[in-house]
Amino acid sequence: GDTMRGWAFGKPGEKLTVKVRMMFYKALVRQEVGWHDLPENASGALCASLATEVNMVQALSGETLGRNIVSIMTVIVAFGIAFLVGHWAVVLVALACLPIMVSGMAIELALVNGGTAGQASGGLSADAGRIVGEVVTSVRTISAFTME
């Protein structure tokens, strides 16, 4: 079942990611030349955003979505079976504890992912991509003039 879930959500997510990546690249190529001369549109920053931002679509539509659906369905089926087979009072107590557990998990995830908040807006990754692009361009220039 896990293999089918991975395939059923992974394959369409990959196709969607490829399509969005192609659209993003075509939009970059269609920009006028002056747009590429701006410092925030350096080739390294554009390559970094092409590699990272498009993968956000995969994170929302691929295997992550499948995992979330499986988790929600597991909770629903578990409470359904518990109501049918188990004692109703115990199930109601567990159901009352569910919001507390969910909010605790949300707080934990927020604390764990809090260190990457600057990267989500493209701050660190775009700068790193721009620097790598400049280094590669500089190495090519030095090699062209045989000044190693």
Side-chain angles (χ1 to χ4, degrees):
D2 198 40
T3 303
M4 291 301 291
R5 178 188 54 87
W7 178 78
F9 284 100
K11 186 87 168 161
E14 279 296 320
K15 285 186 178 183
L16 182 64
T17 303
V18 168
K19 191 173 217 175
V20 169
R21 186 172 281 134
M22 291 298 294
M23 291 170 56
F24 189 82
Y25 179 73
K26 286 178 183 176
L28 288 177
V29 172
R30 280 193 307 252
Q31 299 297 323
E32 59 183 65
V33 176
W35 184 81
H36 291 282
D37 290 336
L38 296 174
E40 63 268 9
N41 298 329
S43 61
L46 294 177
C47 288
S49 64
L50 183 63
T52 57
E53 292 182 18
V54 176
N55 287 337
M56 295 292 208
V57 174
Q58 173 69 20
L60 293 175
S61 65
E63 293 181 27
T64 306
L65 178 65
R67 194 174 328 126
N68 291 343
I69 290 174
V70 166
S71 298
I72 290 170
M73 290 306 297
T74 301
V75 169
I76 290 172
V77 169
F79 279 113
I81 292 173
F83 266 119
L84 291 174
V85 178
H87 194 268
W88 62 271
V90 175
V91 177
L92 288 178
V93 169
L95 198 57
C97 292
L98 191 63
I100 297 169
M101 292 187 298
V102 168
S103 62
M105 259 325 256
I107 291 170
E108 180 184 358
L109 286 174
L111 291 174
V112 168
N113 292 332
T116 60
Q119 293 178 1
S121 63
L124 185 59
S125 61
D127 290 340
R130 182 179 49 79
I131 290 169
V132 168
E134 289 176 7
V135 167
V136 169
T137 304
S138 298
V139 166
R140 287 182 187 164
T141 304
I142 290 171
S143 295
F145 291 118
T146 62
M147 299 175 70
E148 293 107 15

